[in-house]
Amino acid sequence: MTFTKALIGAALVSTLLSPFSFAADQADIDRVYNAIQQNLENHLYQLPPRVQGHYGIRMYRMTGDDKYANAALVDLFAVTEAQSYYACNLDNPGFIEKASEEAISVLGKGPRAKARKKALEDIPEFLFFTDVLLRFGSRIDEFGLKGPCHQQMITALKSTNLKKGLTSAEMIEAWAAQLANYVYWAKQLGVGDYLQEYKDAFNAVYPASRDKELGKDQFRNKIYGMTHFIFAASGYYQTEVDSKEFAWILDYFEANIDRILMDATDDIIAEVGVSFLLAQKPSHPVVAKTRDHIVKAFDEQHNIIPSPKGNPDLALGEHRNMLAMMLLRWPQKLTAGPMLAELKATKKYLPMQVSEKAPAENTKKQPKDLKSKAGKSAD
């Protein structure tokens, strides 16, 4: 009897000391979700346009509620203006070189920024074509639209071989998740299929045999990159993905979940859980473990999941907290879009420089003449 009590006591102490022992019930999950949602939506229009858009687009895809479409419209105006400037100046002498230098200059001065700048030394125009042109073009495309100087942009992207940047070991070690985005954006716009080449290069840089030598930053970069294979394949939460296609990622997450919970940031931990949800595995133990972690990370005072350094800033933390919300309350069905030219809430108020894509249209076709979508006032 004494021996049995000792075993029970030891197990209890072990459970209390374990960093993974906290188990959230449904009331905890709902409370945290509701608090984050209320906090973000109470302050939504105080956030930068692109942050408003990020939130509204994802909430639309999670809920299908048209009330979030106008936040996506705010984002559309921002990216349309940007594409108008960059795509419509592509033929101007020296513009690409200047724009490339500007894109690199705003990377910052920290260790990650230095690593990225070093990786870009031999391919200075890579960031302009990917993080500028592909980013803006793919976002407008997600809304079922084409932006200004669309064909000019497509022609420039098709004539640019992105393989070197996408398969560079230095680039992968500095920017794994972003490169996955670029790969899928290029495929989405029909300007290049680099998926298999990037997957092969990624796995060559980060084989499982190398895990023991990866420091915390490189381990995080690896996990972050793996989640974005799944996220990008889903069109960023517009549709589920095939769990068999991404078994190499899901199996890795399952086998390494303890290290992920210990070494990854809350953003990345939430992304790991959402990866299983996108793969239609809501009952997988990894989902429960990541949810427990996120609930435990919630800051009751500020109603937010703060940054790793404890910063509760909403503009900086919206990405992290939107991911937390998706993890805590996943829908029965995802909603594609929003297709802004089709929704009653937005179709009359589109930027004048966008045009609606024709059904089944591909990038080889010439765009229609731009027509005003803002003919009627909002009164």
Side-chain angles (χ1 to χ4, degrees), residues 102-138:
E102 290 175 350
I104 294 172
S105 71
V106 298
L107 289 176
K109 298 180 180 180
R112 291 181 70 191
K114 290 179 180 178
R116 290 171 175 178
K117 288 178 179 179
K118 185 176 185 301
L120 288 163
E121 286 178 354
D122 294 334
I123 45 173
E125 295 179 357
F126 176 84
L127 197 61
F128 169 72
F129 284 106
T130 54
D131 208 54
V132 176
L133 292 186
L134 280 179
R135 177 181 296 279
F136 298 136
S138 64

Side-chain angles (χ1 to χ4, degrees), residues 2 11 38-39 45 55 58 74 84 86 91-92 101-102 113 118 127 150 152 170 187 213 235 263 313 327 329 335:
T2 303
Q38 184 175 358
N39 191 15
Y45 298 111
Y55 180 82
R58 280 148 184 77
V74 170
S84 177
Y86 289 110
D91 294 336
N92 290 345
E101 292 173 355
E102 290 175 350
K118 185 176 185 301
L127 197 61
H150 173 80
Q152 196 172 337
E170 280 189 316
K187 193 171 183 179
E213 69 184 63
D263 287 350
D313 183 88
L327 176 63
R329 186 174 295 174
T335 304

Side-chain angles (χ1 to χ4, degrees), residues 279-348:
Q280 305 169 73
K281 292 181 175 290
S283 300
H284 196 284
V286 166
V287 175
K289 290 179 180 180
T290 53
R291 277 183 179 150
D292 291 345
H293 176 95
I294 290 300
V295 170
K296 190 176 180 181
F298 178 67
D299 183 330
E300 303 279 356
Q301 179 181 353
H302 297 98
N303 287 329
I304 199 169
I305 310 293
S307 74
K309 295 183 178 180
N311 188 343
D313 183 88
L314 278 176
L316 296 175
E318 180 274 333
H319 174 269
R320 178 187 319 111
N321 283 269
M322 185 67 248
L323 282 163
M325 290 174 66
M326 290 192 290
L327 176 63
L328 298 178
R329 186 174 295 174
W330 191 252
Q332 291 291 322
K333 180 182 178 182
L334 295 170
T335 304
M339 299 302 165
L340 297 176
E342 300 174 9
L343 296 179
K344 183 178 180 180
T346 57
K347 64 182 181 180
K348 296 178 182 178

Side-chain angles (χ1 to χ4, degrees), residues 141-186:
D141 180 81
E142 285 178 19
F143 295 144
L145 303 166
K146 293 185 297 184
C149 300
H150 173 80
Q151 194 57 43
Q152 196 172 337
M153 177 188 69
I154 294 298
T155 299
L157 286 167
K158 283 185 174 180
S159 65
T160 303
N161 191 336
L162 302 175
K163 179 180 177 181
K164 183 176 181 180
L166 293 171
T167 58
S168 158
E170 280 189 316
M171 286 292 289
I172 292 170
E173 289 183 338
W175 242 330
Q178 288 83 351
L179 296 184
N181 292 341
Y182 304 154
V183 165
Y184 279 90
W185 290 341

